[in-house]
Amino acid sequence: MKDFDVVVIGSGIGGLISAGILTAKGLKTLVVERHSTPGGYLASFKRNGFVFDAALDCISGVSPGGLIGKVLELLNVSKEVEFIKIDPIRVSIFPDIEIAVDADVNTYLGKLTALFPAETAAIRSFFKRSDKVYGELQSVIKTIISGNFVLDKITPDIVNLMNVSYKDFLSGHVADYRLKAVLADRCPFIGLPPSNVSALSMVSMIMSYFKLGACRPAGGFQKLADVLTAGMRKMGGEAVFGNGVKRILLDAHDSCKRITCDNGEEYTTRYVISNADFYHTFVDLIGGKYASFANEMMVNTGSSTSFFLVYAGIKGDAGKRSSIGYYPSYDMESFFLPDKILNEDSTLGITIASIEDKSRVPKDCNTIVIHEMVDVSVGKHMDKSEQAMLTIKKAEKIIPAIKDRLVVLDAATPQTLQRYTGNYHGAAFGWRQTPGFRRVRKHGISNLYIAGHWGYLGGGVLAAAYSGAEVAGEILAKEGIKIDL
């Protein structure tokens, strides 16, 4: 039986970030992953020469100043993955407005004020306050990771945005209903309407792209997961793939003492980090009284929405916009109603990563990934092929003749996502990032930590990465090891 300082269950971005930091700081770390490759939602796959990212559009935080970039540098592997900057970050298409969200926030503000001149002061006020709160939040996150967090670091602005909806935050600045919809165009990235999503979560996500850039790894997101794993191994860490964790075993004091794996192997450890699904962790891996804790969290907080995804490899041109949001009306709230799911007038997200990255496709071809938000119940009795063609028909309003140029076609339902990632009902963002949601309350197991989008800072790739850094920082603080990221 091998002994480790830390065992990390799961290799999504939260698990890989925590494992990378801990290994680089000298702790004997093991990552255990039930699949044959690392990544979780970072996964990419190949079909007939086309490389598709399973679930992601683009991410921030990979530049030298961003968290993921810093961890790559810490592991001495930053030069082993190339990141392609996406500019514009997004093109949002509304009934009578098409607006590119430029990487430079001042350029974007110029476009907004030109479209909505009567709202010029409101637009500037909105972004000024968003920028201020984002800066304050980054300061708080840095102290959390370093182990120096004190409660008075949380400013009144952070508390306010944590407890109000994004809809209310928008209404406190702008009046034009069209402008409100434009500024809420990234709500599908978190899976909640403006009225139900935390203003802090939205502001943090939006501003992170302006501050840290929107990027994709050349060759697909799998490259990022592979490089983080390789860096951790080079530093002396270990990773086991194709072997899931069967049980987390506790001692008489409810402290993790060892894990057992599906193949019978056992590892003892001083700390366990679960980057696995929250429900699976507490119900299946631990069980007993902790199963009710997971059930309570799922009822009271709830898991996020999921997606129906279509992966299309086509011949010929796909335009010049690699990240597109399509909104057939300005009623952003309506897109999240049950009767809008997979309807003719539902919103779509479209990613065409091959526009900037030709290494993903055969010559004169393109990849198109179409995202539709769906409830977790969708997919159980779905004809995936039929639904894929209906989704493609909607996408043809933006990219003509997709069906006639198909070379490859595949699709994924919430059940597909659950099968490959283990996430409860295929949840795309972990917990619902609602107003007032602060963190997963204490569960009573002193040496068990939750990393990824089921942790405190979850809800998107960068937030999940911060969650992994947070738990690494907590462990290092216990070990008396300083970290500055």
Side-chain angles (χ1 to χ4, degrees), residues 42-45 51-56 216 220-222 311 353 360 369:
L42 293 178
S44 304
F45 64 92
V51 176
F52 298 95
D53 290 319
L56 300 183
R216 300 188 190 107
F221 277 97
Q222 187 68 54
Y311 310 98
R360 295 168 175 257
V369 180

Side-chain angles (χ1 to χ4, degrees), residues 23 75-77 80 227-238:
T23 301
L75 295 171
N76 294 322
V77 291
E80 295 182 24
V227 167
L228 284 168
T229 303
M232 190 265 293
R233 281 174 161 166
K234 286 179 182 178
M235 288 280 185
E238 297 185 36

Side-chain angles (χ1 to χ4, degrees), residues 6 8 43 125 133 201 250 254 289-290 345 352 389 420 437 458:
V6 186
V8 181
S125 172
V133 174
S201 293
L250 308 179
D254 275 5
K289 64 184 179 182
Y290 294 101
D345 56 350
I352 314 167
M389 295 312 299
Y420 280 97
F437 174 65

Side-chain angles (χ1 to χ4, degrees), residues 147-311:
N148 298 318
F149 175 70
V150 289
L151 204 57
D152 61 8
K153 291 281 185 181
I154 300 181
T155 67
D157 254 345
I158 291 175
V159 173
N160 180 258
L161 265 67
M162 187 185 295
N163 290 313
V164 304
S165 71
Y166 187 59
K167 179 181 179 181
D168 288 344
F169 179 61
L170 279 173
S171 296
H173 293 272
V174 302
D176 192 300
Y177 72 97
R178 297 171 304 157
L179 177 57
K180 288 180 181 179
V182 168
L183 292 174
D185 63 350
R186 255 69 58 82
C187 279
F189 278 28
I190 289 184
L192 286 170
S195 62
N196 286 343
V197 67
S198 157
L200 188 65
S201 293
M202 281 296 296
V203 165
S204 179
M205 180 189 64
I206 291 169
M207 295 308 297
S208 71
Y209 287 112
F210 290 124
K211 295 290 186 179
L212 301 171
C215 298
R216 300 188 190 107
F221 277 97
Q222 187 68 54
K223 180 69 174 177
L224 174 58
D226 292 344
V227 167
L228 284 168
T229 303
M232 190 265 293
R233 281 174 161 166
K234 286 179 182 178
M235 288 280 185
E238 297 185 36
V240 175
F241 296 102
N243 187 22
V245 172
K246 189 174 183 179
R247 294 289 291 179
I248 299 172
L249 299 171
L250 308 179
D251 63 19
H253 304 288
D254 275 5
S255 180
C256 302
K257 62 179 181 178
R258 73 179 190 273
I259 66 162
T260 63
C261 297
D262 291 336
N263 67 354
E265 291 178 348
E266 294 192 359
Y267 304 99
T268 56
T269 181
R270 294 191 295 123
Y271 303 99
V272 171
I273 297 173
S274 181
N275 185 217
D277 170 72
F278 188 89
Y279 189 84
H280 176 61
T281 298
F282 287 97
V283 174
D284 302 320
L285 301 187
I286 301 175
K289 64 184 179 182
Y290 294 101
S292 60
F293 166 70
N295 284 313
E296 181 184 329
M297 284 293 297
M298 286 299 175
V299 170
N300 294 337
T301 301
S303 61
S304 71
T305 187
S306 189
F307 281 108
F308 178 69
L309 299 111
V310 176
Y311 310 98

Side-chain angles (χ1 to χ4, degrees), residues 467-478:
S467 179
E470 178 200 12
V471 300
E474 287 188 39
I475 291 172
L476 291 173
K478 284 188 176 182

